[in-house]
Amino acid sequence: MQADEAGARLEAVAEGIHRFDTRYIRARHTSSLIVVADGRAAIFDCGVPANVEALVAAVGALGVAPDAVDYLIASHAHLDHMAGLGALARHLPAARIAAHPSAAPHLADPSKLVKGARALFGEAFFDREYGTIEPVPAERIVETADEEVLVLGSRELLLLHTPGHAWHHQSLLDIRSRTVLAADAFGVSYPELVGPDGPFAIPTTAPPQLAPAEMHASIDRLVGLSPRRVLPTHFAPIDRPEPVAEDLHRMLDDWLQLARQADSAEDLRERLGDACAAELERRGRGDEAATMREAYALDLWLNSEGLWYWRQRQEQRASAS
């Protein structure tokens, strides 16, 4: 792939940080974030195998040689964020793969991730969106500690364990630009729903490891860093994190209540869609409800599945006690 073609999928989102559109599902749905300093780079989340060639070309378009990529950072072991990691590592021979200790085994052996994703999404979706997933060489994986600092040239990147969406989730603070690379710890927000009041961000409660208390704590932790900007992997930047955090807290609590009231995962999905439409109405943007239901369709389904699974676990624990 030509560097100029791949470069068209790049956008500068902070000083020294570029967002690459992986085009998973659709354009402007999922991103990979490239941090550049002194001719070296780190890549936070890498998308799926189908975008690896373009991502490598995009790094080249930023003037970084393949052997000058020092880190591939996996936010967590969900396939839309890291299915292409093994293939990408082949192209970038000097890169170390930084992962939470609980995620590292799944990068070296993704068979459980593949089995779970095939069961959740179905064979046709899996084959279309993920394809063949290569393992990451175990000797290249570096297990990260909470508050560990990765040095990239003259730049420092602070890793923070941020559970809630997944137990093994980690986010990144670029200290120089005060930018948080949040992956799924600060909700999802798509460009179709950015309005005068900012992006329409919703929590991401996908199965199987939703932990509400930890999600609340991780949101507060990221806001407590006083970032200038928060970059979710999905997708629109958040320039005013505090009010978005308040909305995420409120919506998560409301959704937990809806999960307790629903008759089924399908009923819960309808309730979540109605709740999001009501949220837009509250903001004076009710005419965007149809756009929301289309742009957030996959998220509403995944969120309802995760919340329903969370409810079932709560009931099982209650009955066992």
Side-chain angles (χ1 to χ4, degrees):
M1 175 173 289
Q2 296 297 319
D4 54 352
E5 181 182 347
R9 294 164 66 171
L10 283 170
E11 179 185 0
V13 286
E15 187 268 315
I17 303 177
H18 287 77
R19 179 177 65 185
F20 172 79
D21 186 350
T22 71
R23 297 182 182 171
Y24 168 77
I25 302 294
R26 64 177 187 272
R28 304 194 305 167
H29 179 279
T30 301
S31 63
S32 176
L33 293 161
I34 306 168
V35 185
V36 178
D38 308 310
R40 312 203 68 81
I43 301 174
F44 181 82
D45 283 348
C46 70
V48 297
N51 68 248
V52 164
E53 181 182 345
L55 179 54
V56 172
V59 170
L62 293 172
V64 178
D67 61 359
V69 177
D70 290 340
Y71 295 103
L72 306 178
I73 304 166
S75 66
H76 61 300
H78 287 177
L79 294 184
D80 53 330
H81 295 254
M82 48 58 66
L85 199 50
L88 185 62
R90 268 196 297 108
H91 290 276
L92 306 173
R96 288 160 285 178
I97 290 79
H100 188 285
S102 296
H106 297 292
L107 305 186
D109 178 7
S111 57
K112 290 183 179 179
L113 300 180
V114 170
K115 182 179 179 180
R118 285 190 180 278
L120 178 64
F121 292 106
E123 298 290 338
F125 181 98
F126 185 96
D127 291 339
R128 182 181 71 248
E129 298 296 342
Y130 299 125
T132 300
I133 299 174
E134 298 181 30
V136 176
E139 65 275 12
R140 293 180 61 184
I141 298 173
V142 178
E143 296 185 2
T144 58
D146 186 35
E147 298 190 356
E148 181 173 348
V149 175
L150 304 181
V151 177
L152 182 71
S154 59
R155 212 168 188 128
E156 292 185 325
L157 310 174
L158 176 66
L159 283 165
L160 299 161
H161 290 175
T162 46
H165 173 74
W167 283 111
H168 55 273
H169 193 288
Q170 58 184 4
S171 303
L172 185 71
L173 173 68
D174 173 54
I175 294 175
R176 179 183 297 179
S177 67
R178 304 302 301 176
T179 300
V180 167
L181 286 60
D184 286 346
F186 214 79
V188 301
S189 60
Y190 297 114
E192 296 91 339
L193 270 293
V194 175
D197 56 343
F200 179 69
I202 66 172
T204 176
T205 61
Q209 294 183 333
L210 170 64
E214 287 78 6
M215 183 175 286
H216 280 304
S218 292
I219 292 168
D220 284 339
R221 187 180 194 190
L222 294 181
V223 170
L225 298 170
S226 300
R228 294 183 184 135
R229 176 170 262 199
V230 174
L231 302 174
T233 291
H234 314 281
F235 182 87
I238 296 170
D239 292 325
R240 298 176 60 238
E242 293 84 357
V244 172
E246 292 175 5
D247 290 337
L248 291 172
H249 284 310
R250 175 174 46 79
M251 294 172 77
L252 177 59
D253 287 338
D254 290 346
W255 288 10
L256 295 173
Q257 187 60 30
L258 292 177
R260 297 182 184 100
Q261 297 168 349
D263 297 324
S264 65
E266 293 76 14
D267 177 41
L268 179 53
R269 183 166 67 251
E270 292 300 317
R271 290 172 183 255
L272 291 185
D274 291 344
C276 288
E279 178 68 16
L280 284 168
E281 185 69 38
R282 183 186 72 82
R283 299 182 188 196
R285 297 167 60 186
D287 58 343
E288 298 180 71
T291 300
M292 175 275 298
R293 291 182 188 275
E294 179 179 358
Y296 289 70
L298 179 63
D299 300 275
L300 291 173
W301 172 66
L302 283 171
N303 285 344
S304 64
E305 292 293 316
L307 286 161
W308 188 251
Y309 183 70
W310 169 83
R311 171 181 155 172
Q312 290 178 314
R313 284 187 301 161
Q314 299 303 302
E315 292 173 347
Q316 290 167 0
R317 290 169 182 165
S319 63
S321 62

